[in-house]
Amino acid sequence: MSVLLRVHDLAVSYGHIEAVKGINFHLNSGEITALVGANGAGKSTTLLALSGLLRATRGTIEFDGQDISRLPAHQIVRHGVVQVAEGRAILTTLTVAENLALGAYTRDDKAAIAATLAEVYEIFPRLKDRAGQFAGNLSGGEQQMLAIGRALMAKPKLLLLDEPSMGLAPLMVQEIFRTLVEINRKGLTILLVEQNVRQALKIARHGYVIETGKIVLADSGANLLANPEVEAAYLGG
């Protein structure tokens, strides 16, 4: 299994506060990897650094054999790293179709974009049904589908997901996670940041547990689920 992303000694600070404290991890191509931990542990900060929205204070981020540590966010998207932000960040006054079109802004081939749109509508039939509706009129679950669909329109090699289950009803959470497995089966590598630790580790091949800016455990998703420390801290054991 080839390594798609390798992070070495990554540190990120907000002013004088170091939120991520020199972490190391890697993602294998074609796998789902989960980064889990309590609120404020440094999960979202890590994603923001990977996508170029926060500048690392030290360390390297190597993606697909290239150092992307100092690239601006729009260039990182062009390399194939696309993030679905916490809270979805869809444009509520645009239609579903317009939101999806924005996801393809880095691409020029109209036929290829149309083919990707057809794939997104196949994955999320509800988005096709609501293509002409304003995104602000969608349910929370449908907005999450739209946020993921918009990211897929960029044809990413790596999808970064920040708390996709946040604020969703349990049945919708199950549907979103099933869809992530389906997308992964098509070959897309996924890094999943989640407070819903049980759900995340169920679908992840590998997982990392982060606490106060440091990775404290790394193992397969199944082993982490069965780990008494993880169970006691995150699974209500």
Side-chain angles (χ1 to χ4, degrees):
M1 185 64 67
S2 63
V3 174
L4 182 64
L5 182 93
R6 192 180 298 279
V7 172
H8 175 69
D9 194 31
L10 181 71
V12 187
S13 296
Y14 295 100
H16 297 298
I17 299 170
E18 193 172 51
V20 174
K21 302 171 181 178
I23 61 173
N24 301 283
F25 67 93
H26 70 275
L27 309 180
N28 290 328
S29 183
E31 292 184 354
I32 298 176
T33 302
L35 179 64
V36 300
N39 202 16
K43 305 185 304 294
S44 295
T45 301
T46 300
L47 284 196
L48 291 170
L50 296 182
S51 57
L53 295 169
L54 276 178
R55 180 58 56 87
T57 48
R58 72 172 188 274
T60 56
I61 302 164
E62 189 180 288
F63 178 72
D64 210 11
Q66 290 185 277
D67 187 345
I68 63 169
S69 312
R70 298 291 175 263
L71 293 182
H74 68 277
Q75 287 189 24
I76 290 175
V77 171
R78 289 182 187 277
H79 275 74
V81 180
V82 179
Q83 179 168 351
V84 178
E86 181 182 341
R88 304 185 263 282
I90 59 166
L91 297 171
T92 56
T93 58
L94 298 183
T95 66
V96 168
E98 288 166 340
N99 269 274
L100 292 172
L102 281 175
Y105 79 97
T106 59
R107 304 170 65 193
D108 300 316
D109 185 334
K110 289 184 179 178
I113 292 169
T116 304
L117 181 62
E119 288 174 20
V120 169
Y121 283 152
E122 186 179 337
I123 295 165
F124 297 115
R126 283 194 232 184
L127 296 185
K128 186 173 185 180
D129 294 342
R130 291 157 173 71
Q133 291 184 21
F134 289 117
N137 293 334
L138 301 181
S139 71
E142 290 165 348
Q143 289 186 2
Q144 186 63 69
M145 292 175 185
L146 178 56
I148 296 170
R150 184 179 60 186
L152 295 177
M153 289 298 297
K155 211 67 179 168
K157 296 177 187 174
L158 170 60
L159 185 64
L160 308 175
L161 286 154
D162 195 358
E163 305 286 4
S165 75
M166 183 177 284
L168 301 184
L171 282 175
M172 183 55 70
V173 171
Q174 298 282 350
E175 187 171 340
I176 292 293
F177 276 84
R178 274 198 302 271
T179 302
L180 295 181
V181 171
E182 179 188 337
I183 293 167
N184 171 249
R185 283 191 185 131
K186 296 174 187 287
L188 182 58
T189 307
I190 294 174
L191 176 57
L192 174 62
V193 156
E194 256 296 337
Q195 278 185 270
N196 190 332
V197 174
R198 190 184 303 277
Q199 286 287 352
L201 293 178
K202 273 183 181 177
I203 69 167
R205 178 71 64 87
H206 289 97
Y208 296 92
V209 178
I210 187 168
E211 289 180 4
T212 59
K214 296 179 179 178
I215 287 175
V216 295
L217 287 170
D219 208 331
S220 69
N223 284 349
L224 287 174
L225 260 181
N227 184 310
E229 288 179 59
V230 174
E231 185 173 1
Y234 304 108
L235 304 178

